[in-house]
């Protein structure tokens, strides 16, 4: 079968608009999801059993249901409550809500990973509470926050494709529209695939820069033992 | 409009029956993905540069593009090159490919935590390569990756809902069909959501049991 680039030449504005909307929706949902995630993670710090159960339920329910069902629940649920919003707003809210559960868990784990007494020690050596937060607590939390947050953000970019099923004109939806017009699935999905790949690559690269700034990422263990490397590693290194 | 709990209860039996489709597909996919992921892991351990480069490229592709698009690739694009798959087969193939790539990556991480001394001992006993994989590496590796593997299984279960988009009549599609007849989408979808929660709780509980049993066996 022949690859016909003329389709892409003719329809590239649609792909570009779709990609731009995908980026916008993910960015807005990221802000919403992270904000709610921080709030939920802070609420989880309250030492009360009922609060803990409620937080666990919030996180567990949102993580245990496919995003496509969360999306439909929000899509049909808002009008149910008398709220009418444009589809892309509904989709962004659903995506943010979905992500908030994962971000809450990530933030909670980062707080848990802090060794105890860091704040007090910083105060003892004469730092103000603000200085202690800025120089001692924040860097350590950020270090354990960035890698998993990156992962979840990439997941959000990918999950946003599901918004096509509530007629939000993001990249996947535009792809399906062009496919309906041209009946050229190969060209259309090759284009859509490559654009998604490019977006996630760029975001991963930016996150890598951020990771380099906030501290050392986890180094991969190098298996130096030649006998063991035979089985436990995938890269060929000269055995010294 | 008010939320009618009684209506939700009335549609649950129908939805449960449809959920068996998701459970069956997820089970098939998990088996293929675990076998595929393990095969890829062993293949990568041979350190054949071009092969590993191709696998790395595939992993990057699978991790960098939406699962929905991967499902579309199998469903819309393969027929264009003469491979007509049924919606179910396309769905199984797409999600299993996706999942096996994630599983081989988990395994790569898990391999680094295995004590090199184990391999030394096995080599000293001059065990053949296959026996080392079978009796030394893989059992430990599966134990190490079990928690992340359970998580991956829940992702697969959730992934089967996307197959409703390519006309597989699963829980979600059944819920949509019921809702379009009764004009009660919210309750029906809430029922579908409940069923997914239940399925994933079962997966997590089974995973915890398995972990506990493995811990006991280790003594």
């Amino acid at each position: 079968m022949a690859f016909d680039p003329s389709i892409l030449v003719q329809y590239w504005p649609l792909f570009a608009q779709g990609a731009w909307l995908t980026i916008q929706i993910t960015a807005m949902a990221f802000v919403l999801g992270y904000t709610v995630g921080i709030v939920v993670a802070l609420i989880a710090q309250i030492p009360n059993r009922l609060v803990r159960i409620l937080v666990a339920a919030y996180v567990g329910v949102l993580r245990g249901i496919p995003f496509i069902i969360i999306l439909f629940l929000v899509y049909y649920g808002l009008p149910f409550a008398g709220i009418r919003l444009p589809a892309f707003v509904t989709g962004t809210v659903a995506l943010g809500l979905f992500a908030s559960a994962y971000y809450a868990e990530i933030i909670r784990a980062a707080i848990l990973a802090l060794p105890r007494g860091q704040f007090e020690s910083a105060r003892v050596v004469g730092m103000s509470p603000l200085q202690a937060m800025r120089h001692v607590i924040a860097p350590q939390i950020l270090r354990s926050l960035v890698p998993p947050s990156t992962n979840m953000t990439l997941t959000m970019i990918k999950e946003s494709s599901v918004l096509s099923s509530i007629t939000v004109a993001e990249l996947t939806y535009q792809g399906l529209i062009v496919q309906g017009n041209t009946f050229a699935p190969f060209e259309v999905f090759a284009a859509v695939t490559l654009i998604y790949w490019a977006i996630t690559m760029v975001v991963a690269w930016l996150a890598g820069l951020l990771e380099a700034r906030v501290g050392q990422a986890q180094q991969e263990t190098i298996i130096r033992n030649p006998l063991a490397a035979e089985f436990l590693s995938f890269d060929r290194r000269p055995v010294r | 409009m008010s939320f009618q709990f009684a209506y939700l209860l009335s549609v649950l039996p129908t939805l449960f029956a449809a959920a068996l489709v998701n459970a069956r597909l997820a089970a098939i996919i998990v088996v293929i993905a675990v076998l595929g992921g393990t095969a890829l892991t062993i293949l990568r351990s041979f350190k054949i540069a071009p092969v590993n480069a191709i696998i790395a490229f595939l992993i990057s592709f699978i991790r960098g593009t939406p699962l929905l698009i991967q499902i579309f690739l199998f469903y819309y694009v393969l027929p264009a090159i003469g491979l007509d798959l049924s919606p179910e087969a396309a769905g199984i193939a797409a999600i299993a490919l996706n999942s096996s790539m994630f599983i081989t990556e988990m395994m790569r991480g898990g391999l680094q935590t295995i004590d090199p001394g184990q391999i030394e001992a096995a080599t000293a006993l001059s065990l053949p390569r296959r026996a080392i994989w079978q009796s030394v590496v893989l059992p430990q590796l599966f134990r190490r990756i079990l928690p992340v593997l359970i998580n991956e299984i829940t992702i697969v279960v959730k992934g089967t809902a996307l197959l409703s988009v390519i006309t597989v009549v699963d829980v979600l599609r059944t819920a949509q069909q019921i809702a379009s007849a009764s004009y009660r989408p919210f309750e029906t979808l809430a029922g579908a959501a409940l069923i997914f929660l239940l399925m994933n709780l079962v997966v997590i509980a089974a995973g915890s049991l398995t972990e506990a049993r493995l811990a006991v066996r280790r003594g």
Side-chain angles (χ1 to χ4, degrees), chain B residues 106-130:
Chain B
M106 287 169 202
M107 287 183 160
R108 187 174 71 137
L111 282 176
Q112 298 184 335
T113 65
I114 291 178
D115 178 6
Q118 300 272 335
I119 313 289
E120 283 183 6
T123 318
L125 293 170
S126 66
L127 286 176
R129 199 184 169 90
R130 200 183 133 176

Side-chain angles (χ1 to χ4, degrees), chain B:
Chain B
M1 291 281 265
S2 62
F3 190 89
Q4 293 192 357
F5 202 73
Y7 179 76
L8 194 163
L9 290 179
S10 74
V11 294
L12 274 183
T14 318
L15 292 178
F16 263 118
L20 293 177
V21 173
N22 295 73
R24 180 172 55 85
L25 293 177
I28 296 170
I29 290 164
V30 166
V31 169
I32 298 174
V34 168
L35 291 175
T38 308
L40 280 170
T41 305
I42 294 171
L43 180 62
R44 289 165 90 192
S45 79
F46 289 131
K47 303 176 188 53
I48 307 159
V51 171
N52 278 12
I54 291 167
I55 295 174
F57 184 78
L58 254 180
I59 290 170
S60 162
F61 165 73
I62 294 289
R63 288 168 86 169
T65 58
L67 177 59
L68 183 61
I69 295 290
Q70 290 162 24
I71 292 169
F72 284 156
L73 286 176
F74 275 87
Y75 187 64
Y76 287 114
V77 179
L78 283 189
I81 49 177
L83 242 179
D84 249 318
L85 292 175
S86 72
E88 272 196 12
I92 290 171
I95 303 176
L97 175 71
N98 178 288
S99 192
S100 53
M101 292 299 160
F102 279 95
I103 289 173
T104 182
E105 277 300 270
M106 287 169 202
M107 287 183 160
R108 187 174 71 137
L111 282 176
Q112 298 184 335
T113 65
I114 291 178
D115 178 6
Q118 300 272 335
I119 313 289
E120 283 183 6
T123 318
L125 293 170
S126 66
L127 286 176
R129 199 184 169 90
R130 200 183 133 176
I132 295 184
W133 272 110
Q134 255 185 10
S135 340
V136 182
V137 181
L138 287 182
Q140 296 190 68
L141 186 57
F142 278 117
R143 200 178 296 149
R144 299 276 156 112
I145 67 163
L146 194 60
V148 256
L149 191 60
I150 299 302
N151 189 37
E152 179 62 26
I153 295 174
T154 63
I155 292 174
V156 168
V157 170
K158 291 193 284 179
T160 56
L162 286 181
L163 300 185
S164 62
V165 178
I166 57 165
T167 73
V168 173
V169 185
D170 74 325
V171 180
L172 179 53
R173 202 171 178 84
T174 306
Q176 287 169 314
Q177 285 167 352
I178 296 174
S180 63
S182 71
Y183 294 106
R184 291 216 150 269
F186 193 63
E187 289 91 337
T188 323
L189 284 162
L194 266 179
I195 288 175
F196 270 104
L197 269 182
L198 209 69
M199 283 199 282
N200 278 328
L201 282 174
V202 169
V203 169
I204 291 166
S208 308
L209 276 176
T210 315
E211 273 182 69
R213 284 193 50 183
L214 286 175
V216 168
R217 267 233 313 258
R218 214 173 0 174

